[in-house]
């Protein structure tokens, strides 16, 4: 099994904007380096990672990394040793009941770690969620059948069907897995206590939801990711919709950020513009951090101020950094981890409490 020693190779001060001192932090490269355009000599094609997308952390601070196109699962230890833990690069669906090392995947988008360190993987193009036991390293499927479709609401998740499981996130209590069921244009929720799945947003039709509509009766454009904040509000990010939606605790949906038109603009959230945003996560004070793919930027929606700002990319933050298809974002121990997929690297920046 191949192992690499990876160090944090860059540390600089960044600001959230061109001279805008909203807050300052450190940005570091976890894997990789600065590209030639940034004044360095990093060549993405030499990276041990191939199109990484999502990361998550266990209690030992091991970073689990899944590759969208590379088809592999990696583990980066707290002391900087990277090992390939599963997947062989093929687009296939094998290994349930056996060790992670022998399992294969198809288009993984992200992952999550349970309180007992079990690893959950969104095996997107296999239309399912896989679970790796921390104790035995055995893999199994806990949602989906491996076949695309839409069925199984209010029944066992192992008998339900999905159509492109894009991203999965845990609620704050780690009892619910929110699932962006892309081609079914729904967000579904798997209750880990009962094993049952249900729809919490979307009716399967394509469209922009009307503010104040019941979320389960409203259309969605293309839900790419969903995340629940500390108050039980569920945010839904739509790439083609260029918008951030909110499902309140009473089950009603509304748009909270984005005009629906592709562009780039910070400011009041409903006047802000996104460019095919791909992933999101919850940070301190329930701020939503957004990987804004085509704008090559990391954006923040603040529910208290109802403002959108940019913290990295496009000259914001460290002005040297040129993101290329930033996809995964994860908050862990006061850091925001950014998976810069097009550059086959992972960055992190400190965020304020």
């Amino acid at each position: 099994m191949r192992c690499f020693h990876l160090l944090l190779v860059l540390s600089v001060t960044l600001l959230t904007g061109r001279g805008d001192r909203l807050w300052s932090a450190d940005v570091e490269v976890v894997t990789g380096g600065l590209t030639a355009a940034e004044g360095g000599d990093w060549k993405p094609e030499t990276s041990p990672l191939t199109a990484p997308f999502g990361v998550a952390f266990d209690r030992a601070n091991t970073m689990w990394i899944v590759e969208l196109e590379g088809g592999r699962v990696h583990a980066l230890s707290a002391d900087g040793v990277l090992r390939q833990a599963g997947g062989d690069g093929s687009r296939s669906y094998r290994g349930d009941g056996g060790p992670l090392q022998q399992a294969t995947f198809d288009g993984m988008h992200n992952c999550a770690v349970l309180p007992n360190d079990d690893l959950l993987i969104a095996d997107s193009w296999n239309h399912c969620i896989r679970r790796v036991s921390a104790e035995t390293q055995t893999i199994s499927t806990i949602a989906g059948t491996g076949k695309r479709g839409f069925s199984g609401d209010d029944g066992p998740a192992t008998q339900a069907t999905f159509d492109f499981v894009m991203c999965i996130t845990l609620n704050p209590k780690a009892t619910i897995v929110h699932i962006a069921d892309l081609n079914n244009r729904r967000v579904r929720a798997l209750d880990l206590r009962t094993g049952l799945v249900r729809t919490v947003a979307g009716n399967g039709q394509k469209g922009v939801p009307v503010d104040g509509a019941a979320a389960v009766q409203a259309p969605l454009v293309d839900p790419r990711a969903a995340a629940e904040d500390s108050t039980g509000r569920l945010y839904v990010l739509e790439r083609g919709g260029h918008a951030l939606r909110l499902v309140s605790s009473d089950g009603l949906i509304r748009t909270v950020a984005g005009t629906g038109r592709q562009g780039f603009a910070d400011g009041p959230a409903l006047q802000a513009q996104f460019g095919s945003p791909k992933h999101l996560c919850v940070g301190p004070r329930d701020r939503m951090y957004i990987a804004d793919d085509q704008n090559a930027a990391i954006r923040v929606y603040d529910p208290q101020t109802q403002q959108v700002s940019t913290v990295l990319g496009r000259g914001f933050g460290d002005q040297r950094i040129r993101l290329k298809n930033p996809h995964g974002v994860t908050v862990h121990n006061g850091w925001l981890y950014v998976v810069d997929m097009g550059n086959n690297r992972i960055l992190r920046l400190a965020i304020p409490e």
Side-chain angles (χ1 to χ4, degrees):
M1 182 173 295
R2 294 180 295 171
C3 291
F4 299 85
H5 287 270
L6 300 174
L7 301 176
L8 302 177
V9 297
L10 173 67
S11 180
V12 297
T13 299
L14 68 85
L15 303 174
T16 61
R18 298 177 177 88
D20 181 1
R21 294 180 177 271
L22 294 178
W23 53 273
S24 63
D26 292 328
V27 61
E28 300 177 347
V29 177
V30 180
T31 67
L34 295 178
T35 65
E38 299 165 334
D41 59 3
W42 171 248
K43 295 179 174 57
E45 64 272 16
T46 67
S47 175
L49 304 177
T50 301
F53 192 108
V55 301
F57 292 83
D58 64 19
R59 288 174 294 180
N61 285 322
T62 296
M63 179 197 293
W64 291 91
I65 307 165
V66 296
E67 296 177 328
L68 174 64
E69 297 174 8
R72 299 170 299 174
V73 178
H74 300 274
L76 177 62
S77 66
D79 59 359
V81 178
L82 181 75
R83 64 180 176 88
Q84 183 177 328
D88 60 9
S90 67
R91 295 185 58 177
S92 54
Y93 179 38
R94 300 191 302 271
D96 275 5
L100 170 61
Q101 291 181 357
Q102 298 177 16
T104 60
F105 307 89
D106 190 2
M108 293 173 285
H109 269 76
N110 78 322
C111 55
V113 175
L114 294 172
N116 69 347
D117 285 342
D118 282 6
L119 175 68
L120 304 182
I121 299 172
D123 196 357
S124 304
W125 299 329
N126 280 326
H127 316 291
C128 67
I129 300 173
R130 318 280 288 276
R131 181 171 185 164
V132 181
S133 166
E135 182 178 357
T136 65
Q137 287 297 290
T138 300
I139 192 168
S140 60
T141 296
I142 63 168
T145 65
K147 303 294 184 182
R148 70 195 315 168
F150 175 71
S151 67
D153 265 6
D154 301 315
T158 52
Q159 298 175 24
T161 55
F162 302 83
D163 194 345
F164 278 34
V165 175
M166 295 300 288
C167 291
I168 56 174
T169 57
L170 294 168
N171 69 337
K173 294 182 180 179
T175 56
I176 301 293
V177 183
H178 292 295
I179 306 163
D181 192 3
L182 177 64
N183 285 347
N184 284 322
R185 297 190 174 90
R186 291 176 170 91
V187 177
R188 301 169 80 180
L190 164 61
D191 191 323
L192 293 171
R193 298 161 297 187
T194 65
L196 302 180
V197 68
R198 63 189 177 94
T199 293
V200 293
N203 63 5
Q205 301 301 308
K206 183 176 182 178
V208 177
V210 175
D211 283 357
V216 295
Q217 298 174 11
L220 292 173
V221 178
D222 61 347
R224 293 286 173 147
E228 182 179 325
D229 72 8
S230 66
T231 70
R233 297 175 298 190
L234 179 66
Y235 287 86
V236 179
L237 187 68
E238 300 213 87
R239 186 182 189 187
H242 309 292
L244 181 66
R245 324 281 185 200
L246 173 66
V247 180
S248 54
S249 57
D250 58 3
L252 304 182
I253 193 169
R254 61 187 173 92
T255 300
V256 294
T259 64
R261 297 184 300 276
Q262 184 170 355
F264 178 80
D266 283 340
L270 291 175
Q271 299 174 31
Q273 290 184 311
F274 299 96
S276 300
K278 197 70 178 286
H279 192 233
L280 82 166
C281 67
V282 184
R285 301 184 187 180
D286 286 332
R287 295 187 182 102
M288 305 302 300
Y289 290 86
I290 298 168
D292 197 6
D293 183 20
Q294 292 303 298
N295 279 326
I298 304 302
R299 319 287 294 281
V300 182
Y301 166 70
D302 188 330
Q304 295 182 357
T305 64
Q306 297 182 28
Q307 297 278 319
V308 170
S309 58
T310 302
V311 296
L312 191 63
R314 296 179 68 98
F316 289 79
D318 178 359
Q319 295 188 11
R320 293 175 298 174
I321 296 297
R322 300 291 183 268
L323 300 175
K324 183 178 181 182
N325 301 120
H327 281 178
V329 282
T330 300
V331 169
H332 177 67
N333 284 351
W335 294 89
L336 174 67
Y337 288 80
V338 177
V339 183
D340 190 15
M341 192 189 82
N343 285 316
N344 287 331
R345 66 181 178 180
I346 299 171
L347 313 175
R348 74 176 191 174
L349 58 113
I351 56 176
E353 292 298 324

